[in-house]
């Protein structure tokens, strides 16, 4: 026979205790969001400091770096949106993940403009963007949240 006192102590802290689990996830997601906000702040500061380089190295060279950096900052903002939706809904929406992937791939495609690239590299990027766009359309169309 199990002592009722031991039974009571066993149930006091369980890994599957939903309150503890929710608090732990909120803490982890909060730390991730703070890290992303810090990264965005550093990126914006870097962009502002890059504007000073225009006088030294020319506008076009700095513009390509700024464009790619801005797209990366937008990808970070999309990641924050994923984390916020997870906190609000308790799940991650597939469309948000696809948005991040699309922003990153479009940024990579833009980055190819300023480098030597092959037609195959551009074709692969365009094919991946097309597939992700179609997946995003399908995920919206057949979402459980969709209202008929």
């Amino acid at each position: 026979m199990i002592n009722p006192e031991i039974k009571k102590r066993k149930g006091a802290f369980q890994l599957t205790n939903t309150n503890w689990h929710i608090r732990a996830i909120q803490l982890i997601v909060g730390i991730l969001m703070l890290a992303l906000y810090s990264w965005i702040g550093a990126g914006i500061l870097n962009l502002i400091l890059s504007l000073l380089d225009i006088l030294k190295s020319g506008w076009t060279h700095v513009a390509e770096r700024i464009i790619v950096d801005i797209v990366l900052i937008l990808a970070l903002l999309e990641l924050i949106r994923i984390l916020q939706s997870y906190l609000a809904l308790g799940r991650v929406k597939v469309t948000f993940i696809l948005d991040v992937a699309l922003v990153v791939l479009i940024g990579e495609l833009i980055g190819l403009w300023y480098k030597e690239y092959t037609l195959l590299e551009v074709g692969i990027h365009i094919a991946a963007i097309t597939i992700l766009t179609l997946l995003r359309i399908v995920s919206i169309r057949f979402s459980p949240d969709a209202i008929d």
Side-chain angles (χ1 to χ4, degrees), residues 126-145:
I126 291 174
I129 289 169
T130 303
I131 290 169
L132 287 174
T133 302
L134 291 173
L135 283 173
R136 189 174 190 290
I137 292 168
V138 168
S139 71
I140 290 172
R141 175 71 176 108
F142 297 106
S143 171
D145 296 336

mmCIF file with all atom_site columns, all heavy atoms in Angstrom, residues 126-145:
data_model
loop_
_atom_site.group_PDB
_atom_site.id
_atom_site.type_symbol
_atom_site.label_atom_id
_atom_site.label_alt_id
_atom_site.label_comp_id
_atom_site.label_asym_id
_atom_site.label_entity_id
_atom_site.label_seq_id
_atom_site.pdbx_PDB_ins_code
_atom_site.Cartn_x
_atom_site.Cartn_y
_atom_site.Cartn_z
_atom_site.occupancy
_atom_site.B_iso_or_equiv
_atom_site.pdbx_formal_charge
_atom_site.auth_seq_id
_atom_site.auth_comp_id
_atom_site.auth_asym_id
_atom_site.auth_atom_id
_atom_site.pdbx_PDB_model_num
ATOM 1   N N   . ILE A 1 126 ? 13.948  30.324 -58.030 1.00 0.00 ? 126 ILE A N   1
ATOM 2   C CA  . ILE A 1 126 ? 12.599  30.644 -58.526 1.00 0.00 ? 126 ILE A CA  1
ATOM 3   C C   . ILE A 1 126 ? 11.662  29.450 -58.347 1.00 0.00 ? 126 ILE A C   1
ATOM 4   O O   . ILE A 1 126 ? 10.502  29.620 -57.959 1.00 0.00 ? 126 ILE A O   1
ATOM 5   C CB  . ILE A 1 126 ? 12.664  31.123 -60.000 1.00 0.00 ? 126 ILE A CB  1
ATOM 6   C CG1 . ILE A 1 126 ? 13.340  32.499 -60.048 1.00 0.00 ? 126 ILE A CG1 1
ATOM 7   C CG2 . ILE A 1 126 ? 11.277  31.166 -60.622 1.00 0.00 ? 126 ILE A CG2 1
ATOM 8   C CD1 . ILE A 1 126 ? 13.607  33.021 -61.438 1.00 0.00 ? 126 ILE A CD1 1
ATOM 9   N N   . ALA A 1 127 ? 12.170  28.236 -58.595 1.00 0.00 ? 127 ALA A N   1
ATOM 10  C CA  . ALA A 1 127 ? 11.336  27.040 -58.409 1.00 0.00 ? 127 ALA A CA  1
ATOM 11  C C   . ALA A 1 127 ? 10.954  26.876 -56.937 1.00 0.00 ? 127 ALA A C   1
ATOM 12  O O   . ALA A 1 127 ? 9.797   26.581 -56.622 1.00 0.00 ? 127 ALA A O   1
ATOM 13  C CB  . ALA A 1 127 ? 12.081  25.801 -58.910 1.00 0.00 ? 127 ALA A CB  1
ATOM 14  N N   . ALA A 1 128 ? 11.906  27.079 -56.048 1.00 0.00 ? 128 ALA A N   1
ATOM 15  C CA  . ALA A 1 128 ? 11.618  26.955 -54.608 1.00 0.00 ? 128 ALA A CA  1
ATOM 16  C C   . ALA A 1 128 ? 10.607  28.014 -54.163 1.00 0.00 ? 128 ALA A C   1
ATOM 17  O O   . ALA A 1 128 ? 9.678   27.712 -53.401 1.00 0.00 ? 128 ALA A O   1
ATOM 18  C CB  . ALA A 1 128 ? 12.901  27.067 -53.796 1.00 0.00 ? 128 ALA A CB  1
ATOM 19  N N   . ILE A 1 129 ? 10.767  29.234 -54.650 1.00 0.00 ? 129 ILE A N   1
ATOM 20  C CA  . ILE A 1 129 ? 9.826   30.306 -54.302 1.00 0.00 ? 129 ILE A CA  1
ATOM 21  C C   . ILE A 1 129 ? 8.439   29.980 -54.840 1.00 0.00 ? 129 ILE A C   1
ATOM 22  O O   . ILE A 1 129 ? 7.431   30.178 -54.157 1.00 0.00 ? 129 ILE A O   1
ATOM 23  C CB  . ILE A 1 129 ? 10.345  31.666 -54.822 1.00 0.00 ? 129 ILE A CB  1
ATOM 24  C CG1 . ILE A 1 129 ? 11.565  32.105 -54.002 1.00 0.00 ? 129 ILE A CG1 1
ATOM 25  C CG2 . ILE A 1 129 ? 9.251   32.727 -54.762 1.00 0.00 ? 129 ILE A CG2 1
ATOM 26  C CD1 . ILE A 1 129 ? 12.306  33.296 -54.584 1.00 0.00 ? 129 ILE A CD1 1
ATOM 27  N N   . THR A 1 130 ? 8.365   29.451 -56.050 1.00 0.00 ? 130 THR A N   1
ATOM 28  C CA  . THR A 1 130 ? 7.075   29.085 -56.650 1.00 0.00 ? 130 THR A CA  1
ATOM 29  C C   . THR A 1 130 ? 6.402   27.980 -55.842 1.00 0.00 ? 130 THR A C   1
ATOM 30  O O   . THR A 1 130 ? 5.195   28.058 -55.547 1.00 0.00 ? 130 THR A O   1
ATOM 31  C CB  . THR A 1 130 ? 7.276   28.627 -58.111 1.00 0.00 ? 130 THR A CB  1
ATOM 32  O OG1 . THR A 1 130 ? 7.919   29.677 -58.835 1.00 0.00 ? 130 THR A OG1 1
ATOM 33  C CG2 . THR A 1 130 ? 5.960   28.273 -58.770 1.00 0.00 ? 130 THR A CG2 1
ATOM 34  N N   . ILE A 1 131 ? 7.170   26.960 -55.463 1.00 0.00 ? 131 ILE A N   1
ATOM 35  C CA  . ILE A 1 131 ? 6.607   25.851 -54.681 1.00 0.00 ? 131 ILE A CA  1
ATOM 36  C C   . ILE A 1 131 ? 6.118   26.345 -53.320 1.00 0.00 ? 131 ILE A C   1
ATOM 37  O O   . ILE A 1 131 ? 5.021   25.993 -52.876 1.00 0.00 ? 131 ILE A O   1
ATOM 38  C CB  . ILE A 1 131 ? 7.641   24.720 -54.531 1.00 0.00 ? 131 ILE A CB  1
ATOM 39  C CG1 . ILE A 1 131 ? 7.853   24.029 -55.875 1.00 0.00 ? 131 ILE A CG1 1
ATOM 40  C CG2 . ILE A 1 131 ? 7.212   23.707 -53.469 1.00 0.00 ? 131 ILE A CG2 1
ATOM 41  C CD1 . ILE A 1 131 ? 9.023   23.075 -55.908 1.00 0.00 ? 131 ILE A CD1 1
ATOM 42  N N   . LEU A 1 132 ? 6.922   27.179 -52.651 1.00 0.00 ? 132 LEU A N   1
ATOM 43  C CA  . LEU A 1 132 ? 6.508   27.711 -51.352 1.00 0.00 ? 132 LEU A CA  1
ATOM 44  C C   . LEU A 1 132 ? 5.269   28.598 -51.474 1.00 0.00 ? 132 LEU A C   1
ATOM 45  O O   . LEU A 1 132 ? 4.397   28.584 -50.599 1.00 0.00 ? 132 LEU A O   1
ATOM 46  C CB  . LEU A 1 132 ? 7.653   28.485 -50.695 1.00 0.00 ? 132 LEU A CB  1
ATOM 47  C CG  . LEU A 1 132 ? 8.799   27.627 -50.153 1.00 0.00 ? 132 LEU A CG  1
ATOM 48  C CD1 . LEU A 1 132 ? 9.931   28.509 -49.669 1.00 0.00 ? 132 LEU A CD1 1
ATOM 49  C CD2 . LEU A 1 132 ? 8.316   26.715 -49.048 1.00 0.00 ? 132 LEU A CD2 1
ATOM 50  N N   . THR A 1 133 ? 5.181   29.347 -52.560 1.00 0.00 ? 133 THR A N   1
ATOM 51  C CA  . THR A 1 133 ? 4.003   30.184 -52.782 1.00 0.00 ? 133 THR A CA  1
ATOM 52  C C   . THR A 1 133 ? 2.759   29.312 -52.974 1.00 0.00 ? 133 THR A C   1
ATOM 53  O O   . THR A 1 133 ? 1.696   29.592 -52.410 1.00 0.00 ? 133 THR A O   1
ATOM 54  C CB  . THR A 1 133 ? 4.203   31.100 -54.005 1.00 0.00 ? 133 THR A CB  1
ATOM 55  O OG1 . THR A 1 133 ? 5.369   31.899 -53.791 1.00 0.00 ? 133 THR A OG1 1
ATOM 56  C CG2 . THR A 1 133 ? 3.009   31.995 -54.233 1.00 0.00 ? 133 THR A CG2 1
ATOM 57  N N   . LEU A 1 134 ? 2.893   28.253 -53.752 1.00 0.00 ? 134 LEU A N   1
ATOM 58  C CA  . LEU A 1 134 ? 1.767   27.332 -53.943 1.00 0.00 ? 134 LEU A CA  1
ATOM 59  C C   . LEU A 1 134 ? 1.381   26.652 -52.627 1.00 0.00 ? 134 LEU A C   1
ATOM 60  O O   . LEU A 1 134 ? 0.185   26.505 -52.329 1.00 0.00 ? 134 LEU A O   1
ATOM 61  C CB  . LEU A 1 134 ? 2.110   26.286 -55.005 1.00 0.00 ? 134 LEU A CB  1
ATOM 62  C CG  . LEU A 1 134 ? 2.235   26.816 -56.434 1.00 0.00 ? 134 LEU A CG  1
ATOM 63  C CD1 . LEU A 1 134 ? 2.743   25.729 -57.362 1.00 0.00 ? 134 LEU A CD1 1
ATOM 64  C CD2 . LEU A 1 134 ? 0.912   27.375 -56.916 1.00 0.00 ? 134 LEU A CD2 1
ATOM 65  N N   . LEU A 1 135 ? 2.378   26.241 -51.836 1.00 0.00 ? 135 LEU A N   1
ATOM 66  C CA  . LEU A 1 135 ? 2.099   25.654 -50.535 1.00 0.00 ? 135 LEU A CA  1
ATOM 67  C C   . LEU A 1 135 ? 1.376   26.641 -49.620 1.00 0.00 ? 135 LEU A C   1
ATOM 68  O O   . LEU A 1 135 ? 0.471   26.267 -48.862 1.00 0.00 ? 135 LEU A O   1
ATOM 69  C CB  . LEU A 1 135 ? 3.388   25.189 -49.862 1.00 0.00 ? 135 LEU A CB  1
ATOM 70  C CG  . LEU A 1 135 ? 3.986   23.891 -50.371 1.00 0.00 ? 135 LEU A CG  1
ATOM 71  C CD1 . LEU A 1 135 ? 5.351   23.656 -49.739 1.00 0.00 ? 135 LEU A CD1 1
ATOM 72  C CD2 . LEU A 1 135 ? 3.046   22.727 -50.079 1.00 0.00 ? 135 LEU A CD2 1
ATOM 73  N N   . ARG A 1 136 ? 1.760   27.898 -49.707 1.00 0.00 ? 136 ARG A N   1
ATOM 74  C CA  . ARG A 1 136 ? 1.107   28.915 -48.877 1.00 0.00 ? 136 ARG A CA  1
ATOM 75  C C   . ARG A 1 136 ? -0.354  29.086 -49.291 1.00 0.00 ? 136 ARG A C   1
ATOM 76  O O   . ARG A 1 136 ? -1.244  29.190 -48.451 1.00 0.00 ? 136 ARG A O   1
ATOM 77  C CB  . ARG A 1 136 ? 1.839   30.247 -48.985 1.00 0.00 ? 136 ARG A CB  1
ATOM 78  C CG  . ARG A 1 136 ? 1.330   31.249 -47.976 1.00 0.00 ? 136 ARG A CG  1
ATOM 79  C CD  . ARG A 1 136 ? 2.134   32.514 -47.987 1.00 0.00 ? 136 ARG A CD  1
ATOM 80  N NE  . ARG A 1 136 ? 1.795   33.374 -46.881 1.00 0.00 ? 136 ARG A NE  1
ATOM 81  C CZ  . ARG A 1 136 ? 0.662   34.039 -46.742 1.00 0.00 ? 136 ARG A CZ  1
ATOM 82  N NH1 . ARG A 1 136 ? -0.281  33.934 -47.654 1.00 0.00 ? 136 ARG A NH1 1
ATOM 83  N NH2 . ARG A 1 136 ? 0.453   34.804 -45.701 1.00 0.00 ? 136 ARG A NH2 1
ATOM 84  N N   . ILE A 1 137 ? -0.606  29.090 -50.580 1.00 0.00 ? 137 ILE A N   1
ATOM 85  C CA  . ILE A 1 137 ? -1.982  29.204 -51.078 1.00 0.00 ? 137 ILE A CA  1
ATOM 86  C C   . ILE A 1 137 ? -2.805  28.005 -50.607 1.00 0.00 ? 137 ILE A C   1
ATOM 87  O O   . ILE A 1 137 ? -3.933  28.155 -50.123 1.00 0.00 ? 137 ILE A O   1
ATOM 88  C CB  . ILE A 1 137 ? -1.996  29.339 -52.617 1.00 0.00 ? 137 ILE A CB  1
ATOM 89  C CG1 . ILE A 1 137 ? -1.405  30.686 -53.020 1.00 0.00 ? 137 ILE A CG1 1
ATOM 90  C CG2 . ILE A 1 137 ? -3.406  29.158 -53.171 1.00 0.00 ? 137 ILE A CG2 1
ATOM 91  C CD1 . ILE A 1 137 ? -1.104  30.820 -54.497 1.00 0.00 ? 137 ILE A CD1 1
ATOM 92  N N   . VAL A 1 138 ? -2.237  26.805 -50.724 1.00 0.00 ? 138 VAL A N   1
ATOM 93  C CA  . VAL A 1 138 ? -2.943  25.593 -50.303 1.00 0.00 ? 138 VAL A CA  1
ATOM 94  C C   . VAL A 1 138 ? -3.184  25.611 -48.801 1.00 0.00 ? 138 VAL A C   1
ATOM 95  O O   . VAL A 1 138 ? -4.261  25.243 -48.328 1.00 0.00 ? 138 VAL A O   1
ATOM 96  C CB  . VAL A 1 138 ? -2.150  24.332 -50.729 1.00 0.00 ? 138 VAL A CB  1
ATOM 97  C CG1 . VAL A 1 138 ? -2.687  23.072 -50.065 1.00 0.00 ? 138 VAL A CG1 1
ATOM 98  C CG2 . VAL A 1 138 ? -2.186  24.185 -52.233 1.00 0.00 ? 138 VAL A CG2 1
ATOM 99  N N   . SER A 1 139 ? -2.182  26.053 -48.030 1.00 0.00 ? 139 SER A N   1
ATOM 100 C CA  . SER A 1 139 ? -2.347  26.067 -46.565 1.00 0.00 ? 139 SER A CA  1
ATOM 101 C C   . SER A 1 139 ? -3.409  27.064 -46.130 1.00 0.00 ? 139 SER A C   1
ATOM 102 O O   . SER A 1 139 ? -4.102  26.834 -45.142 1.00 0.00 ? 139 SER A O   1
ATOM 103 C CB  . SER A 1 139 ? -1.013  26.360 -45.873 1.00 0.00 ? 139 SER A CB  1
ATOM 104 O OG  . SER A 1 139 ? -0.615  27.696 -46.067 1.00 0.00 ? 139 SER A OG  1
ATOM 105 N N   . ILE A 1 140 ? -3.559  28.147 -46.860 1.00 0.00 ? 140 ILE A N   1
ATOM 106 C CA  . ILE A 1 140 ? -4.620  29.108 -46.530 1.00 0.00 ? 140 ILE A CA  1
ATOM 107 C C   . ILE A 1 140 ? -5.977  28.548 -46.946 1.00 0.00 ? 140 ILE A C   1
ATOM 108 O O   . ILE A 1 140 ? -6.953  28.628 -46.207 1.00 0.00 ? 140 ILE A O   1
ATOM 109 C CB  . ILE A 1 140 ? -4.363  30.469 -47.211 1.00 0.00 ? 140 ILE A CB  1
ATOM 110 C CG1 . ILE A 1 140 ? -3.169  31.159 -46.559 1.00 0.00 ? 140 ILE A CG1 1
ATOM 111 C CG2 . ILE A 1 140 ? -5.590  31.357 -47.129 1.00 0.00 ? 140 ILE A CG2 1
ATOM 112 C CD1 . ILE A 1 140 ? -2.719  32.407 -47.284 1.00 0.00 ? 140 ILE A CD1 1
ATOM 113 N N   . ARG A 1 141 ? -6.012  27.960 -48.117 1.00 0.00 ? 141 ARG A N   1
ATOM 114 C CA  . ARG A 1 141 ? -7.274  27.442 -48.653 1.00 0.00 ? 141 ARG A CA  1
ATOM 115 C C   . ARG A 1 141 ? -7.846  26.320 -47.792 1.00 0.00 ? 141 ARG A C   1
ATOM 116 O O   . ARG A 1 141 ? -9.043  26.244 -47.557 1.00 0.00 ? 141 ARG A O   1
ATOM 117 C CB  . ARG A 1 141 ? -7.053  26.949 -50.094 1.00 0.00 ? 141 ARG A CB  1
ATOM 118 C CG  . ARG A 1 141 ? -8.240  26.291 -50.727 1.00 0.00 ? 141 ARG A CG  1
ATOM 119 C CD  . ARG A 1 141 ? -9.318  27.303 -51.040 1.00 0.00 ? 141 ARG A CD  1
ATOM 120 N NE  . ARG A 1 141 ? -10.399 26.650 -51.741 1.00 0.00 ? 141 ARG A NE  1
ATOM 121 C CZ  . ARG A 1 141 ? -11.589 26.400 -51.196 1.00 0.00 ? 141 ARG A CZ  1
ATOM 122 N NH1 . ARG A 1 141 ? -11.845 26.752 -49.974 1.00 0.00 ? 141 ARG A NH1 1
ATOM 123 N NH2 . ARG A 1 141 ? -12.518 25.804 -51.882 1.00 0.00 ? 141 ARG A NH2 1
ATOM 124 N N   . PHE A 1 142 ? -6.973  25.426 -47.310 1.00 0.00 ? 142 PHE A N   1
ATOM 125 C CA  . PHE A 1 142 ? -7.434  24.264 -46.551 1.00 0.00 ? 142 PHE A CA  1
ATOM 126 C C   . PHE A 1 142 ? -7.112  24.367 -45.063 1.00 0.00 ? 142 PHE A C   1
ATOM 127 O O   . PHE A 1 142 ? -7.008  23.370 -44.370 1.00 0.00 ? 142 PHE A O   1
ATOM 128 C CB  . PHE A 1 142 ? -6.823  22.981 -47.136 1.00 0.00 ? 142 PHE A CB  1
ATOM 129 C CG  . PHE A 1 142 ? -7.253  22.736 -48.553 1.00 0.00 ? 142 PHE A CG  1
ATOM 130 C CD1 . PHE A 1 142 ? -6.375  22.946 -49.599 1.00 0.00 ? 142 PHE A CD1 1
ATOM 131 C CD2 . PHE A 1 142 ? -8.539  22.321 -48.831 1.00 0.00 ? 142 PHE A CD2 1
ATOM 132 C CE1 . PHE A 1 142 ? -6.772  22.729 -50.905 1.00 0.00 ? 142 PHE A CE1 1
ATOM 133 C CE2 . PHE A 1 142 ? -8.938  22.103 -50.137 1.00 0.00 ? 142 PHE A CE2 1
ATOM 134 C CZ  . PHE A 1 142 ? -8.061  22.307 -51.184 1.00 0.00 ? 142 PHE A CZ  1
ATOM 135 N N   . SER A 1 143 ? -6.972  25.584 -44.574 1.00 0.00 ? 143 SER A N   1
ATOM 136 C CA  . SER A 1 143 ? -6.703  25.814 -43.162 1.00 0.00 ? 143 SER A CA  1
ATOM 137 C C   . SER A 1 143 ? -7.920  25.454 -42.321 1.00 0.00 ? 143 SER A C   1
ATOM 138 O O   . SER A 1 143 ? -9.051  25.698 -42.724 1.00 0.00 ? 143 SER A O   1
ATOM 139 C CB  . SER A 1 143 ? -6.344  27.286 -42.939 1.00 0.00 ? 143 SER A CB  1
ATOM 140 O OG  . SER A 1 143 ? -6.289  27.583 -41.572 1.00 0.00 ? 143 SER A OG  1
ATOM 141 N N   . PRO A 1 144 ? -7.678  24.889 -41.117 1.00 0.00 ? 144 PRO A N   1
ATOM 142 C CA  . PRO A 1 144 ? -8.833  24.615 -40.245 1.00 0.00 ? 144 PRO A CA  1
ATOM 143 C C   . PRO A 1 144 ? -9.516  25.895 -39.780 1.00 0.00 ? 144 PRO A C   1
ATOM 144 O O   . PRO A 1 144 ? -10.668 25.867 -39.375 1.00 0.00 ? 144 PRO A O   1
ATOM 145 C CB  . PRO A 1 144 ? -8.219  23.877 -39.049 1.00 0.00 ? 144 PRO A CB  1
ATOM 146 C CG  . PRO A 1 144 ? -6.767  23.834 -39.248 1.00 0.00 ? 144 PRO A CG  1
ATOM 147 C CD  . PRO A 1 144 ? -6.440  24.421 -40.571 1.00 0.00 ? 144 PRO A CD  1
ATOM 148 N N   . ASP A 1 145 ? -8.798  27.022 -39.869 1.00 0.00 ? 145 ASP A N   1
ATOM 149 C CA  . ASP A 1 145 ? -9.383  28.309 -39.474 1.00 0.00 ? 145 ASP A CA  1
ATOM 150 C C   . ASP A 1 145 ? -10.188 28.950 -40.592 1.00 0.00 ? 145 ASP A C   1
ATOM 151 O O   . ASP A 1 145 ? -10.850 29.966 -40.369 1.00 0.00 ? 145 ASP A O   1
ATOM 152 C CB  . ASP A 1 145 ? -8.280  29.284 -39.051 1.00 0.00 ? 145 ASP A CB  1
ATOM 153 C CG  . ASP A 1 145 ? -7.549  28.812 -37.813 1.00 0.00 ? 145 ASP A CG  1
ATOM 154 O OD1 . ASP A 1 145 ? -8.129  28.031 -37.041 1.00 0.00 ? 145 ASP A OD1 1
ATOM 155 O OD2 . ASP A 1 145 ? -6.395  29.225 -37.635 1.00 0.00 ? 145 ASP A OD2 1
#
